Each structure stands twice: as structure tokens, then as C-alpha cells.
Amino acid sequence: MLEIKDLKAGVEGTSILEGVNLSVKAGEVHAIMGPNGSGKSTLAQILAGRDGYEVTGGSATFEGKDLLELEPDERAKEGLFLAFQYPVEIPGVNSSYFLKAALNEVRKHRGEPEMDAVEFLQFVKEKMKLLDLREDFLKRPVNEGFSGGEKKRNEIFQMAVLQPKLAILDETDSGLDIDALKVVSSGVNRLKSQDNAQLIITHYQRLLNYIVPDYVHVLYQGQIIRSGGKDLALELEEKGYDWINEERSQPA
Amino acid sequence: MSEITQEQVTQQSDPYLSRFEALEKEGERGGPSWVFPIRKAGISRFAELGFPTIKHEDWRFTNIRPITELPFLPVLEPSRETISEAALNRFAFAGLEAHRLVFVDGFLAPDLCQIESLPEGAIVGSLAEQLKKESKEVKDHFAGQINGEENAFTALNTAFFQDGAFIYLPKGTVMEKPIHLLFISTGSERGMTTHPRNLIIAEPHSELKLVESYAGLNDIPYLTNAVTESVIADEAHVEHCKLQNEPGEAFHMASLYSHQGRSSRFHFHPIAMGAHISRNTIRTTLDGEGLECVLNGLYLTYGKQLADNYMTVDHAKPHGESHEYFNGVMDEKSHGVFHGRILVRPHSQKTDAKQTNKNILLSGNAVVNAKPQLEIYADDVKCTHGATCGQLSDDAIFYLRARGLNYPTARRMLTHAFAGEIVERIRMDTVREELDRLVWDRLEQMPRLAQTAE
Ligand SMILES: Nc1ncnc2c1ncn2[C@@H]1O[C@H](COP(=O)(O)OP(=O)(O)OP(=O)(O)O)[C@@H](O)[C@H]1O
Ligand SMILES: [Mg+2]
């Protein structure tokens, strides 16, 4: 589904990603861990199409299409979704209006009929239950005045509505209390199917107790320096990132 | 030293002065005799000031030459053109559940008015009529706030006005329904000038909801030169929305003078969408403790339009709160001007004054000039101001695009939201809803927003 090959990118001459390789197939859950500043969000933003980053080498394909050639909205319509580490507040844009417009764009692209207001409302109500969201949520402007936890929940709610093929969750767990973490991760798990995939960026093993990954990757200074199964996360929790470094610097 | 000589001023003012002499001879038209000295003071003031040029600090960004180049044809008698009740439907707020006064070319058109039973003692009607009655209220307050005014247009209005609205709410009167003042210019001739003059008096503890709107029948260069004086007594609440939606060739100069008493509340929403050149001047005197004044304006321009917002908020007493929120959206070669002056007098401690002016330029040729001006002579005050000008937030655009909305759609959504920030502050539900639609439609007419391709 997603093939990243030797991706190199940076900002204004400073390189951030120094050759990332990653392959994600339908039905899989991948976790990316790594210390602050290692390039996790940069990778996510580049995949979603944020401009301002300069790709200096390598490639990224999504369902066989050259991802880097597509506009951000085209990527979204193709089924790529980024849950932002810092969701943006958009005063004055009503949540329901925004989400209905987005959903209909995606549906049009998939060749599905657009939803009218009534159908939309019915459809999102179920999704709201899934994320334990209050009814008035849709009437509020997008993210405006939301608490940190509400913003994260809103990201997953949007994911539930848009039903992407590949969801990239950038530190969705940070800022969530234990109960919210359970609600959010059970939401994410229920959205999981054989046809879609999830790429979960996190600092904490805690989240991976709820969302169990098939693969764990460690991004360090712009490169994936180690990949493994879910046990790798446990090992990292115990030993920290230095442990991998030490191992790496020792000749095999 | 100004570079304009008195002689130049005189020459330029000549047609106005001679027109006034003619008016003086007509007697009747000048209204009751007690008003005439006020008119005369107006014309002398005008002769003294002359029309401002861009050399004048307060008019640096707004060149009114196209106005002074027009023939001066003040409307001094009611128009013979009749407007049918049904024809009103094309104007904003015509369907509003409200008491309605309609003025055609500055004269009250009684057939088009709709005033249902008013609370005891309340008056909603023609100012000209009230001036004739010489009631204490009107004598006490008419032209009470324009002393020392430097705006030549106000002086001109005082000299030539014929009619306008008079609203009087006695102590404790609550007007449930809004009052709508609709000013229609027939625009029958180039240079036609109307001088609507309104006087609004809200006695202590009264509550008033007011909508004032301006429109025209013909798209030619005519001038609306309006002046409104508002007296908002202790603990009175006034919400006032003004919609300027004149045709694209017309000119619109309007000044609002308001005087607020203790613990009063005044919310004013001036919305400028029309006219070639428009200026909305506000001078508000906050003359009591614990009061609140909110000036919440929006200006939307495209083509060659210019919309100027000029305001002075005078904190004359301690413990006053004022907020100015002005948002502007400019497309094509249009021009927005914001001039916000906050004056905090020496004893006005604990003043809380905030001002924000935000602008979005949709085109590289659009211009905005923002000039905040804080004059603070008290030391224990909270005053903030901020002006921004530019494009929409990249973060917000990206967020919307990352959900599948294309760039033009994201930009439209954010621009609507930006204008919506102002509209949302209107508390009169029906007025807000209608304005929301009007503002939406107006933005959709902006060439850059109408574009669907990137
Ligand atoms: N737009 C940008 N301009 C300048 N530097 C940037 C930009 N984006 C990222 N960087 C830099 O690139 C590096 C990687 O940042 P990134 O946000 O990708 O890290 P991260 O792994 O997500 O960290 P965290 O765990 O703290 O979220 C950092 O040093 C950051 O300062
Ligand atoms: Mg990050």
C-alpha cells in the first residue's frame, strides 16, 4: 500500500530525513518510535503533502501512485489520512459543515453518491458514539477552544468518518488521559480491517498495549535504524534508545 | 502648515456656499427657525474646513476627489419617484420582523413605513417632524455632539439635511423588535446628494435594537452623506447594525456620534460592502463608569472600491471597557483603510481598551492601510491593539486540504470564516442570519474566491 524508498528530505538546506525505507501492506499496523526531533512528524507531514519541505531524494508511492506528485487534497481523496500531532484550530468554520464537505469530496472521488444533510447527520452520529463525543461537538468551530484531548479525539473521529485506507497517527496518545486513551484506541481498533493500514507514531509503549502493532520501527536522526515485532517496543521502553546505538556501534 | 490656501478652500466650497444661500432664501426648507442657526454654523464650519485632501493626516489614504469633482445637487424636496411596497423586497432586511422607516432620497416615505404599536412614550418617526415640535428631548440633543468636529462632511450634513429618523425610548422602555431604517437613494442624477440625519435617544434602562441600511436604485455617482447622533443614557443597552450596500459607483460618507452614560452598553456593527468610496466615521464618548462599547465592523471590497473606517473611542471616565474588532477582505485593486484612535483621558483609570484589525488581501493589487493610534494619559489601564494583514494561515489551509478539500475550497471556507467572526458577534438573531447570507453572497462575488481552479 505504502512504499517509501530511501526518502531524503529537509528544510532550507538542513536535512531531516536521511534515507527512510518503509513498506506498509494492507491489513498491517506499523508503529514508529524515536526520540524527539528524529523526524517522525516530518515524515508524516511529507507523506500528507505539507509544503515547505524539500524532498532531495528517494520516492514514496501509495497504491502504486507517486505520492509526492499529488496535491494534499488528492492524497486525502486517495485514502491517506494524517491525524495531526497538533490539530489546527479553525475559528469560524463549523465542524459539521467542514466534515460534510470533506466527506463528500472523498465520496465523489470514490464514485459514491454525496450525502445530504440528513444522511450525513445519521452517519456521523454513530461515529460520534464510537469516540464518546458530545452532541454539540458538530456545532462548534473546528478544534476551536477544544481541550488537548478533545482535539485528538476529533482527529480520530474524522478518521472514522472519512474511512481512509492508510491512517497516519502522529502522537495521538500524547495529551490523553487513561480513559480517553482507551476510547481512542478502541476506536482506532474498530476502524481496522483487512483492507486498510495504520501507521502509528508514538513515544510510549503504553499506546501499543491497546493498539497492537505488527511491526515496530525506530526512527533515529532521520533513518530507520531498527525494525522488529511488537516486542521491540517493550525493549525500548526498558532500555531506551541509547541501547540500539550502542549495539549499532559495536561491530557484529 | 497645511499647503492648501484658504483661497483654494473657498473656491472649492463655492458651489456649496451658494447653494446654501439659496436654501436660506427658501426659508421653509430650512425647517423651524431654531434650527437655522445650527445650519448656519454648519455651513460656516464647512467653509472653514473645506474638503479634506490626502495631505490631511486623517485622510491620508482616502482621496475623496471623485466626490468633490461631482456637481453638488443636494436633494431638498421629496422625490417624485414612487417605490412600491413590493419593490422593497429587493433590499436587505425588507422581510425582517421589525418596525420599519423608509427614507427615499433622505425623505421619510410614510407609505412604505411599518410601525406597529410602540411601547408607551416611545417615538419612532421623522426627525424633521420632531424638530418642528420643538420637544425638549430634541432641543437638548440635536447637534449636541458635533461641536468642534473636524469632519467637513458632518458640517455639510448639518447645513443641508432635510430628514432622517428620530428614535426616542423613554426610561425603562424595552423594544423587543428591532427598528429598521432603510435609506434608498434613487440616484436619478449624477451628483445627487442626500443628507440623512438621525437622532437616537435611549433613556436610562431602555433597550434598543437598531438596523440601519443604505441602498440605491441606480448605479451612478451619487453621494449619501449621513450623520447619526446617539445618546445612550445610564444603563441603557443599544445594539446597532449598519449595512452600507450602495451601488458600485456611489459614494457613502457616514458619521456616527455616540455618547454613553454609566453602565450602558453599546454594540455597533458597521458592515461596508458597497459604494465606490465609503467612509464610516465613529466618534464615541464613553462618559460613565462601568460601561461597555463594542465596535465590530466588516468591510468587503473588490474592483476599485475603497472602504475607510475611522474611529475615535474617547474614554472620558474610569472603569470603561471598549473593544474594536474590524475585519477586512480586499480583492482586485480595492483598498481598505482602518484608523482606530483610542483616547484615555488622565483620570480614566482602569480603562480596558482592546483593538484588533485584521485584513485579508486576496489579490496582490489590493491594499490596506491600518493605523492604530493610542493616546493614553492615565497610568492604570489595559490597552492593547493589533493589526494583521496578509494571506490566510498556511496551517489552516493545509489542515483543510489534508481532509480532501482543494485549495480554492479551503481558501473560500477560511475567508467566509474570517468574515463570520464579525457577523457572529451580532446578537439580534434574525439580523445576524440575514447578514450572514448577504456577506456570504458578497464574498462569493469576489473574483478570486469565485475562481474554482488553483
Ligand atoms: N518546518 C521546519 N522548519 C525548520 N525545521 C524543522 C521543520 N520541521 C521540522 N524541523 C526540524 O526537523 C527535526 C525533526 O522534527 P520533527 O518534528 O519531525 O521531529 P519528531 O520526531 O516529530 O519530534 P517529536 O517527538 O518532538 O514530535 C527537528 O530538529 C525540527 O526542528
Ligand atoms: Mg513529532
Side-chain angles (χ1 to χ4, degrees):
Chain A
M1 179 175 285
L2 178 71
E3 288 289 339
I4 304 174
K5 287 202 179 110
D6 199 26
L7 187 67
K8 293 181 181 145
V11 187
E12 288 159 10
T14 345
S15 114
I16 302 172
L17 301 183
E18 313 215 0
V20 174
N21 290 290
L22 184 66
S23 169
V24 179
K25 294 190 181 63
E28 294 177 350
V29 177
H30 290 240
I32 295 185
M33 303 182 81
N36 293 130
S38 56
K40 303 181 299 294
S41 292
T42 302
L43 177 64
Q45 298 270 324
I46 288 175
L47 293 177
R50 175 84 212 210
D51 52 16
Y53 295 100
E54 197 189 338
V55 176
T56 50
S59 66
T61 55
F62 180 60
E63 302 259 84
K65 293 199 175 78
D66 182 353
L67 196 59
L68 305 177
E69 280 298 305
L70 298 178
E71 294 294 330
D73 41 295
E74 290 169 335
R75 301 180 196 199
K77 289 192 284 195
E78 287 291 334
L80 187 139
F81 180 92
L82 169 63
F84 284 63
Q85 181 173 2
Y86 305 107
V88 184
E89 295 199 11
I90 311 190
V93 175
N94 172 276
S95 290
S96 143
Y97 170 70
F98 152 68
L99 201 54
K100 177 167 167 282
L103 176 63
N104 279 333
E105 283 303 322
V106 170
R107 289 177 66 90
K108 258 193 290 186
H109 189 78
R110 291 183 197 140
E112 295 165 1
E114 292 186 41
M115 280 190 185
D116 64 23
V118 178
E119 292 168 321
F120 173 75
L121 216 61
Q122 230 164 10
F123 177 71
V124 293
K125 277 218 171 116
E126 278 170 47
K127 310 289 179 190
M128 287 174 74
K129 273 191 221 128
L130 188 71
L131 272 305
D132 211 6
L133 288 171
R134 285 214 319 268
E135 290 263 326
D136 69 347
F137 193 79
L138 280 174
K139 294 191 186 117
R140 293 167 66 181
V142 181
N143 291 324
E144 192 188 34
F146 286 21
S147 74
E150 282 173 333
K151 283 181 186 167
K152 295 304 179 76
R153 238 189 264 201
N154 189 23
E155 294 295 286
I156 304 308
F157 166 59
Q158 292 177 20
M159 170 181 160
V161 170
L162 299 175
Q163 297 171 309
K165 288 181 199 147
L166 173 66
I168 304 168
L169 275 50
D170 191 357
E171 291 198 29
T172 298
D173 53 333
S174 62
L176 290 183
D177 62 40
I178 287 291
D179 291 339
L181 184 71
K182 283 183 190 161
V183 171
V184 163
S185 37
S186 94
V188 171
N189 287 334
R190 279 210 256 161
L191 295 171
K192 185 77 212 56
S193 82
Q194 275 316 297
D195 306 317
N196 62 24
Q198 293 166 349
L199 186 59
I200 310 227
I201 296 172
T202 181
H203 283 287
Y204 304 106
Q205 153 62 23
R206 192 183 62 164
L207 176 68
L208 304 180
N209 287 334
Y210 298 103
I211 304 174
V212 182
D214 301 304
Y215 301 95
V216 174
H217 311 275
V218 178
L219 188 67
Y220 188 84
Q221 293 181 355
Q223 283 184 316
I224 290 182
I225 55 164
R226 178 169 295 216
S227 297
K230 63 175 192 288
D231 296 341
L232 178 57
L234 287 168
E235 222 170 336
L236 282 171
E237 179 99 336
E238 205 179 300
K239 302 183 185 164
Y241 294 110
D242 287 343
W243 150 73
I244 303 179
N245 272 326
E246 279 158 27
E247 266 197 7
R248 278 216 308 169
S249 53
Q250 279 159 23
Chain B
M1 271 295 275
S2 149
E3 289 177 42
I4 318 150
T5 64
Q6 193 57 43
E7 197 179 331
Q8 273 172 311
V9 166
T10 313
Q11 263 175 22
Q12 205 188 27
S13 329
D14 263 355
Y16 301 85
L17 303 185
S18 48
R19 192 65 200 81
F20 189 78
E21 275 166 30
L23 177 70
E24 205 167 3
K25 290 194 191 98
E26 284 167 65
E28 256 303 86
R29 297 232 187 287
S33 56
W34 71 274
V35 175
F36 214 78
I38 300 175
R39 283 191 194 283
K40 274 199 100 129
I43 198 72
S44 340
R45 184 74 177 144
F46 174 75
E48 209 175 292
L49 294 166
F51 279 119
T53 69
I54 49 170
K55 287 182 188 137
H56 192 301
E57 187 52 35
D58 291 347
W59 294 83
R60 245 169 75 200
F61 308 113
T62 302
N63 189 350
I64 56 146
R65 249 182 83 171
I67 298 176
T68 61
E69 283 169 2
L70 287 178
F72 180 60
L73 301 172
V75 181
L76 300 174
E77 53 189 281
S79 159
R80 259 168 280 137
E81 196 158 340
T82 51
I83 297 174
S84 72
E85 172 102 30
L88 286 185
N89 288 332
R90 60 186 274 203
F91 300 112
F93 302 119
L96 198 69
E97 181 60 22
H99 300 286
R100 182 174 74 202
L101 293 182
V102 180
F103 296 84
V104 177
D105 288 342
F107 286 86
L108 190 77
D111 293 353
L112 301 176
C113 295
Q114 225 171 52
I115 305 288
E116 277 144 52
S117 60
L118 294 171
E120 173 118 32
I123 305 172
V124 177
S126 143
L127 176 67
E129 225 170 85
Q130 284 302 314
L131 293 173
K132 279 185 210 142
K133 287 188 186 155
E134 300 191 32
S135 65
K136 180 172 159 23
E137 290 75 26
V138 79
K139 285 193 110 168
D140 281 353
H141 295 295
F142 179 71
Q145 294 186 58
I146 57 167
N147 288 334
E149 177 57 32
E150 304 229 325
N151 188 335
F153 286 97
T154 296
L156 200 62
N157 176 290
T158 304
F160 286 101
F161 81 91
Q162 293 301 309
D163 202 358
F166 177 77
I167 299 173
Y168 178 78
L169 295 194
K171 199 168 169 180
T173 305
V174 176
M175 289 286 284
E176 295 293 348
K177 260 202 267 179
I179 297 170
H180 177 207
L181 311 178
L182 171 57
F183 295 88
I184 303 169
S185 285
T186 58
S188 48
E189 239 175 318
R190 190 169 169 272
M192 195 196 95
T193 302
T194 64
H195 296 101
R197 180 78 177 216
N198 307 310
L199 177 59
I200 293 148
I201 303 168
E203 295 285 19
H205 296 275
S206 63
E207 282 182 33
L208 171 66
K209 301 182 182 107
L210 180 65
V211 182
E212 183 192 2
S213 65
Y214 292 83
L217 295 179
N218 283 324
D219 191 3
I220 64 165
Y222 68 78
L223 170 64
T224 300
N225 179 25
V227 171
T228 300
E229 293 178 277
S230 273
V231 183
I232 302 163
D234 295 350
E235 303 194 35
H237 291 180
V238 174
E239 185 175 23
H240 180 173
C241 183
K242 172 179 179 258
L243 172 68
Q244 183 275 101
N245 200 8
E246 309 261 22
E249 295 293 327
F251 301 99
H252 180 94
M253 297 281 129
S255 297
L256 171 78
Y257 300 87
S258 76
H259 183 275
Q260 279 186 253
R262 178 181 45 78
S263 300
S264 63
R265 205 157 74 194
F266 179 45
H267 288 205
F268 182 47
H269 317 283
I271 315 288
M273 314 204 292
H276 176 185
I277 296 174
S278 70
R279 167 127 148 168
N280 195 60
T281 303
I282 305 166
R283 201 176 76 190
T284 154
T285 308
L286 310 186
D287 199 9
E289 298 197 4
L291 52 70
E292 179 186 281
C293 172
V294 175
L295 308 178
N296 174 56
L298 178 67
Y299 42 107
L300 311 173
T301 58
Y302 63 87
K304 54 176 184 174
Q305 285 184 290
L306 180 150
D308 181 341
N309 305 274
Y310 180 96
M311 69 215 68
T312 303
V313 176
D314 181 351
H315 280 269
K317 290 273 157 67
H319 293 279
E321 207 180 303
S322 70
H323 295 263
E324 291 113 71
Y325 308 96
F326 278 76
N327 284 12
V329 181
M330 273 68 61
D331 197 359
E332 297 186 296
K333 283 187 169 165
S334 68
H335 189 165
V337 180
F338 174 84
H339 188 138
R341 177 166 170 243
I342 299 175
L343 171 62
V344 182
R345 301 204 181 248
H347 50 272
S348 300
Q349 302 296 3
K350 305 283 180 196
T351 285
D352 184 352
K354 287 198 195 80
Q355 177 184 97
T356 51
N357 172 228
K358 297 193 280 185
N359 296 283
I360 290 177
L361 302 178
L362 293 174
S363 124
N365 295 321
V367 180
V368 65
N369 298 106
K371 187 177 167 194
Q373 194 182 338
L374 306 188
E375 289 170 49
I376 299 165
Y377 302 104
D379 47 24
D380 185 12
V381 301
K382 242 181 13 204
C383 288
T384 58
H385 72 90
T388 61
C389 156
Q391 277 69 43
L392 297 160
S393 141
D394 286 342
D395 287 339
I397 295 243
F398 179 62
Y399 189 81
L400 297 180
R401 295 189 76 189
R403 297 296 176 256
L405 302 171
N406 64 16
Y407 178 73
T409 305
R411 180 167 71 171
R412 270 177 53 207
M413 252 187 207
L414 293 175
T415 309
H416 283 299
F418 177 78
E421 284 175 20
I422 300 297
V423 176
E424 268 166 31
R425 287 199 192 90
I426 299 171
R427 296 183 183 179
M428 298 178 273
D429 293 332
T430 50
V431 175
R432 184 186 58 249
E433 283 157 19
E434 181 155 357
L435 256 180
D436 203 33
R437 284 193 295 275
L438 287 167
V439 165
W440 181 281
D441 291 346
R442 184 67 177 185
L443 285 171
E444 290 291 306
Q445 283 166 16
M446 296 230 173
R448 290 301 150 103
L449 285 195
Q451 268 171 28
T452 47
E454 206 169 314

